[in-house]
Amino acid sequence: MNEGAGGGGGCGAVMGAGTVAVCGADGFLQRLSGPAEQRLLELLSYGLVVLGAASALLLCFIPMPYGRYSSRRFGCLLPARPAWLLQELPALLIPLGLAACSGAARVAERPNGVLLGLFVVHYAHRALVFPLLIREGKPTPLFTFVLALLFCVYNGYLQGRSLSNYAKYPSTWLKEPFFIAGFLGWLIGMAINIHSDHILRNLRKPGETGYAIPRGGMFEYVSGANFFGEILEWFGFAIACCTIQSLAFALCTLFILGSRAKQHHQWYLEKFEDYPKSRKILIPFVY
């Protein structure tokens, strides 16, 4: 999840190692497959919602230590680009590995493949493209890096295993209203997220320092335009998937990014006397 912060050569090696690791666990996954794992995925989904709610509560008192809020109090500072790449990479590699090596029962079915593809496309951008676009991102505290890494491992397994092995769809699912509406939400949300990140990256010209008020796009309506885009994207994904795992991810995203948007909004109001008073926090015209 975003805002903020490439390495091409190292990615191939990491991907190869990740895939081999999953393949090595292939026998274990096949033994685990069945009602016990389905129950595990359900419990992990509930856990993801609880994790998001608890994080939102904590963020009411402690700003997420990244970007403008970075601090050595949360561990040594890591370079932004490699930290971002490595923390996001598990959410890309784990679903791909599960689909390729776990004897996934349903990944060959077209609806499952397309839905898993939506998840993979997002994280291919976040892990492989986004870090290359970072100019001089502020260093990432080790604590923040570890939390993001663990989240991507957790959610990569949750979404990847659900869609590749358990979620069942009729052959006509890709023509159904739920999928179409969800896909449009995913697509529009991702476009808003990418465009908003572009605006944030270009607030300062090369050599300039300090902060500026973001303008243009959805920033004309909300302070957390990039967060709004990602929340819309994952709720669209949840509608398209209609699984408890995808809904849990969307709710977790709402809890965490909603809290971060509120922090940003308050920071902007304190930092800039001329900050637009009509601009909402996260949801245009509402909140």
Side-chain angles (χ1 to χ4, degrees), residues 2 125-126 189-199 201:
N2 54 21
H125 175 265
R126 299 307 291 176
M190 188 171 182
I192 291 172
N193 180 256
I194 292 173
H195 181 249
S196 300
D197 282 339
H198 172 76
I199 291 174
R201 281 194 302 271

Side-chain angles (χ1 to χ4, degrees), residues 40-58:
L40 173 63
L41 292 173
E42 183 178 336
L43 292 174
L44 289 176
S45 299
Y46 297 142
L48 194 62
V49 176
V50 172
L51 176 66
S55 298
L57 180 61
L58 185 62

Side-chain angles (χ1 to χ4, degrees), residues 40-276:
L40 173 63
L41 292 173
E42 183 178 336
L43 292 174
L44 289 176
S45 299
Y46 297 142
L48 194 62
V49 176
V50 172
L51 176 66
S55 298
L57 180 61
L58 185 62
L59 289 173
C60 292
F61 306 98
I62 303 174
M64 175 66 76
Y66 78 103
R68 70 194 67 168
Y69 312 112
S70 289
S71 170
R72 290 188 179 275
R73 293 181 302 163
F74 295 92
C76 61
L77 299 179
L78 307 176
R81 283 182 175 176
W84 190 276
L85 183 150
L86 292 174
Q87 74 186 31
E88 301 290 311
L89 204 54
L92 171 63
L93 298 186
I94 290 175
L96 289 176
L98 289 170
C101 300
S102 67
R106 301 193 177 277
V107 72
E109 297 177 12
R110 194 177 177 202
N112 297 66
V114 169
L115 291 167
L116 190 60
L118 300 184
F119 187 83
V120 167
V121 164
H122 172 91
Y123 278 102
H125 175 265
R126 299 307 291 176
L128 305 180
V129 177
F130 185 75
L132 298 176
L133 300 176
I134 297 171
R135 290 185 172 180
E136 295 181 4
K138 291 185 178 296
T140 301
L142 179 62
F143 176 76
T144 305
F145 167 77
V146 171
L147 285 182
L149 179 69
L150 292 176
F151 177 85
C152 286
V153 170
Y154 186 124
N155 194 48
Y157 166 72
L158 184 63
Q159 306 303 326
R161 191 64 173 161
S162 168
L163 288 171
S164 66
N165 210 52
Y166 294 108
K168 299 179 183 179
Y169 300 98
S171 59
T172 58
W173 182 250
L174 300 184
K175 299 178 181 179
E176 298 291 336
F178 271 100
F179 173 80
I180 294 171
F183 173 74
L184 289 176
W186 175 87
L187 185 63
I188 294 170
M190 188 171 182
I192 291 172
N193 180 256
I194 292 173
H195 181 249
S196 300
D197 282 339
H198 172 76
I199 291 174
L200 290 173
R201 281 194 302 271
N202 290 277
L203 283 177
R204 294 189 295 264
K205 295 180 180 179
E208 290 184 342
T209 59
Y211 291 94
I213 299 173
R215 299 186 185 278
M218 290 301 298
F219 280 112
E220 294 299 316
Y221 305 97
V222 294
S223 296
N226 50 334
F227 299 141
F228 169 75
E230 187 162 356
I231 291 168
L232 176 60
E233 180 182 359
W234 292 125
F235 269 96
F237 179 72
I239 293 170
C241 290
C242 285
T243 63
I244 187 173
Q245 290 80 21
S246 59
L247 177 60
F249 180 30
L251 290 172
C252 183
T253 302
L254 174 63
F255 286 139
I256 295 176
L257 296 190
S259 297
R260 287 167 62 179
K262 184 177 180 180
Q263 289 177 354
H264 281 12
H265 185 75
Q266 292 173 340
W267 185 88
Y268 281 129
L269 290 174
E270 294 171 1
K271 181 75 174 178
F272 301 103
E273 293 184 359
D274 59 339
Y275 193 73

